[in-house]
Amino acid sequence: MKYVNQFLIILGFSFVGELIHAALPLPVPASVYGLVLLFVCLQAGIVKLNQVEQAADFFLQIMPVLFISASVSLMNIISDILGSLAAIVIITAVSTFVVMGVTGKTAQFMIERKERKERKEARKHGLQ
C-alpha cells in the first residue's frame, strides 16, 4: 500500500504539471512543471522524502524500459533522419559539452562558495 500512496503523490504532481502546462502558454513540457513543483515541495518540507523515495527509486530502476517505445518509433523513421544525421550529431556533441562545462563550473562555484563560508565561520569562531 505504501508504494501505491507514493505513486499517487508523484502522479498528483504530474497532474498539477499538466494543469499548469494547459494554463501557461510556455514551451515547457508538463512533466517539467510537475518535477519542479515536486522539487520545490521537497525542499520546502511540504512533501517528505520518505513519502516518495521508494516509488521514485522504482521508476529510476525501470527507466530504460520506458525508452523502448521511443527507440522503436525512431527505427520506423530512420530513413527520414539520415538526411539530417550530421547536423544531429554535431548539435548533440556541442550541447553535451556545453552541459558538461556549465555543470562543472556550477559545481566548482558551489564548492568554492561552501569552502569560503566554512573558512569565514572558522575565523569567526577563532578556529583557524
Side-chain angles (χ1 to χ4, degrees):
M1 191 66 180
K2 179 171 44 174
Y3 286 107
V4 173
N5 289 337
Q6 292 182 9
F7 174 73
L8 288 175
I9 291 170
I10 294 171
L11 188 65
F13 279 97
S14 296
F15 180 71
V16 172
E18 290 287 342
L19 294 176
I20 294 171
H21 178 70
L24 297 177
L26 299 174
V28 177
S31 58
V32 172
Y33 287 126
L35 285 173
V36 169
L37 187 60
L38 178 57
F39 175 73
V40 168
C41 288
L42 282 166
Q43 290 297 314
I46 297 168
V47 175
K48 304 291 186 238
L49 183 60
N50 63 1
Q51 292 176 302
V52 294
E53 186 173 24
Q54 291 174 325
D57 286 342
F58 170 73
F59 287 134
L60 287 174
Q61 289 174 352
I62 67 163
M63 190 183 331
V65 175
L66 302 176
F67 287 102
I68 291 174
S69 62
S71 300
V72 170
S73 297
L74 194 59
M75 289 174 19
N76 288 334
I77 61 166
I78 193 70
S79 61
D80 298 335
I81 294 175
L82 286 178
S84 306
L85 190 60
I88 292 170
V89 168
I90 291 169
I91 290 169
T92 301
V94 169
S95 63
T96 298
F97 285 114
V98 168
V99 168
M100 287 171 50
V102 169
T103 302
K105 286 295 185 183
T106 302
Q108 187 176 14
F109 170 77
M110 297 298 287
I111 291 168
E112 289 172 356
R113 190 174 100 178
K114 181 180 177 185
E115 289 173 351
R116 282 193 306 268
K117 183 178 178 182
E118 288 172 353
R119 284 194 302 267
K120 183 179 176 183
E121 288 293 319
R123 281 193 300 266
K124 183 178 176 182
H125 297 326
L127 299 175
Q128 193 170 21

